[in-house]
Amino acid sequence: MELENKMIHKLSPLVIASLNGTITEEEYIELNSIIKDVPGASECYIDILWTYVGINSIYGISSLKESSSDLESLDYIEAMLEEEAMAPAVEMPKECLVEESKGNVIVLKDYEFKRTYRIFSMIISSVAVLMFLFIAYANIFPVKQTAAVGIVTDQIEVKWSDTSEQLRDQDKLFTNHSPYSIDNGLLKINYIQGVDIIIEGPAVFLCKDQNSIRLISGKAYTRVSQGATGFTIITPSCDVIDLGTEFGVNVQKNGNAIVQMYKGKASVVSRSAEQIAESVILKDKQARLVQKSTGRIYQIQSDPESFIRHIDQETHKIWNGEPLALGDVVGGGDGFGGGESGAGIDPETGRFDIRYVRPGRGYKANKICWSPVPSNRYVNCVFVTDGSEGPQKVSTDGHRYEFIETDRRFHHDIFYSNSPETMLPADDVANGLVPDPEDEITLDGISYGVEDHPAIFIHAPSGITFDLQAIRKDWPGLEISSFGAVAGISDIGRDGASIDIVVLVDGVCVFEKKDYTVDEQTLKLNIPIAAESRYLTLAVTDAGDDAWFDLCVFGDPCLQLKLAE
């Protein structure tokens, strides 16, 4: 049944407000009430949504930033929809209308067309010739019932179910095929329109057509290229319609679906007893739970690391969006685990020490020293800072930086900690510097060097350089976007300490804090890393006085990663 005029007028601006993120809670409730209760409203909603997708495909609206031009574009769509809602019915001339054909006689009758959506007419008119050619071609060369819509591009430890066809790399996936089923493992599919999907087993799915996939159970991360806007994942409880996005869908055993957004927008349309129940537009870093039994959509906590977003069979690498932890690297790991808590690197010799023990304090390098670290492919070099002889070498490629003059006295290794027992090295323990267990090393009252907040401890005057290119080589398909950490002097037991903190990229200073003391607030570092940058250096020097108690804590030090464009 066609909507009444006033209801069309009410629905259009609500849908547009939902799309552009300006919808209020009251409007959201009203929108879902209309869709659920008013006959024909669900069809109207889908029509408006696909109109948005169509215009976006032509004009690239979703690719625009949140600027005035973008808002004007959305206002233009809303204006067209509202104009349509207010347009009067159009009466067609009798001579143009056909009731039916009886033999060679054509019988005409009176007929009044109800208002149609003129916005659709505009789109159809703009591609009329193409549509005519498409229809003509389809009649002459009908499409086969089964068509290849995707190809397997990668897989890791996939175990196919006994009832499923077993696919290898470069095998095609077809429509109207029996469900594909994997018991475990990871399968990467590339759809012909430029959609990458990673299926995480156990999962059951089938390819509905070139614009959609039906996920019966399991998890799927989807990355949609700009030209494939409108790609849809169909689940037992909802349809997730792409509006230019990266998103994950997890269909649970009971048919409920969790939708996790990463980038862009998507429309989540739930179903209850085969009828549209609710809808919502999801944006960056939002998540929803869709309940199969009721069609209700619930807001839930975003969990970006809950989906595998990158796999590489050759390197056997799997990435779920988490950052690469530089503390773990210092401890001998690969940035994702395996580092030894309490382990460190001697800044004078480059030697890797596991839970090292030093007999005393106040170690002095006999000369201005720099040393590579052959035992760790992600650590390029370490050094003891002293600018008395000019710019100092900070990488194996000869990058240099001019530090202040120091006496080259350092107190222990550059080391990693993620447990209270290893927050200070053995020489500090021997000298009674470990505080009460309740008084852990803290920055602004937050404990660091513990499991929730691992840390790198660097005592002045010393530094460490990480090899970013070595990391990129081990993680093809990913890019390093930034370095992040907090930095400061521990709140406890470090009165009188003062340090200079320096961060370098390829020998160029990108951050410097001079004469930092324990009384100052914790520093928050967020440093962009360009694709061509090779080395990242963290250095601490003694601010021109002695190095006693000059221990710098780099809390949660990490490299943020992203998928390569």
Side-chain angles (χ1 to χ4, degrees), residues 70-117:
D70 186 24
L71 294 175
E72 289 169 2
S73 298
L74 290 169
D75 289 343
Y76 176 65
I77 299 173
E78 182 175 359
M80 287 192 292
L81 288 169
E82 289 185 352
E83 180 185 356
E84 179 56 43
M86 297 300 296
V90 178
E91 184 174 327
M92 297 296 291
K94 295 180 180 180
E95 59 269 23
C96 296
L97 302 171
V98 178
E99 179 181 25
E100 59 181 335
S101 176
K102 299 181 179 180
N104 295 324
V105 179
I106 298 176
V107 181
L108 304 178
K109 72 169 188 177
D110 288 339
Y111 187 80
E112 180 185 64
F113 274 88
K114 297 295 184 180
R115 180 174 59 254
T116 59
Y117 299 106

Side-chain angles (χ1 to χ4, degrees), residues 416-462:
Y416 162 61
S417 175
N418 69 354
S419 66
E421 293 77 15
T422 59
M423 286 190 302
L424 289 175
D427 57 342
D428 278 349
V429 174
N431 285 273
L433 293 181
V434 175
D436 185 275
E438 295 183 357
D439 297 327
E440 300 173 345
I441 290 181
T442 61
L443 300 177
D444 291 343
I446 299 175
S447 296
Y448 287 93
V450 295
E451 184 176 1
D452 290 342
H453 296 289
I456 299 174
F457 293 88
I458 302 180
H459 199 291
S462 57

Side-chain angles (χ1 to χ4, degrees), residues 12-203:
S12 299
L14 291 175
V15 176
I16 295 300
S18 178
L19 285 166
N20 64 26
T22 60
I23 193 168
T24 65
E25 182 67 24
E26 292 77 12
E27 289 173 334
Y28 174 75
I29 294 172
E30 183 182 11
L31 173 61
N32 281 301
S33 177
I34 294 172
I35 292 173
K36 183 177 181 181
D37 300 330
V38 178
S42 60
E43 290 82 357
C44 181
Y45 172 81
I46 295 297
D47 285 343
I48 295 172
L49 190 63
W50 279 108
T51 299
Y52 178 90
V53 170
I55 294 176
N56 174 61
S57 298
I58 297 172
Y59 297 106
I61 291 173
S62 67
S63 66
L64 297 175
K65 295 181 179 179
E66 294 296 331
S67 63
S68 59
S69 60
D70 186 24
L71 294 175
E72 289 169 2
S73 298
L74 290 169
D75 289 343
Y76 176 65
I77 299 173
E78 182 175 359
M80 287 192 292
L81 288 169
E82 289 185 352
E83 180 185 356
E84 179 56 43
M86 297 300 296
V90 178
E91 184 174 327
M92 297 296 291
K94 295 180 180 180
E95 59 269 23
C96 296
L97 302 171
V98 178
E99 179 181 25
E100 59 181 335
S101 176
K102 299 181 179 180
N104 295 324
V105 179
I106 298 176
V107 181
L108 304 178
K109 72 169 188 177
D110 288 339
Y111 187 80
E112 180 185 64
F113 274 88
K114 297 295 184 180
R115 180 174 59 254
T116 59
Y117 299 106
R118 284 183 289 178
I119 186 170
F120 303 135
S121 300
M122 292 173 60
I123 295 176
I124 293 172
S125 297
S126 67
V127 295
V129 175
L130 293 177
M131 289 297 293
F132 173 81
L133 293 175
F134 174 81
I135 294 170
Y137 181 88
N139 280 284
I140 299 172
F141 305 101
V143 179
K144 295 181 179 180
Q145 291 297 313
T146 299
V149 294
I151 187 172
V152 175
T153 56
D154 210 345
Q155 54 183 300
I156 294 180
E157 297 181 356
V158 171
K159 180 182 178 182
W160 293 91
S161 302
D162 294 338
T163 57
S164 174
E165 178 185 356
Q166 301 188 15
L167 301 177
R168 298 170 296 180
D169 288 356
Q170 304 306 310
D171 280 353
K172 296 179 180 178
L173 294 92
F174 295 89
T175 60
N176 293 331
H177 189 283
S178 58
Y180 299 98
S181 178
I182 58 177
D183 290 337
N184 54 52
L186 298 164
L187 180 73
K188 185 175 181 179
I189 302 167
N190 178 255
Y191 254 53
I192 59 176
Q193 286 194 326
V195 180
D196 287 324
I197 305 172
I198 295 178
I199 305 291
E200 184 176 347

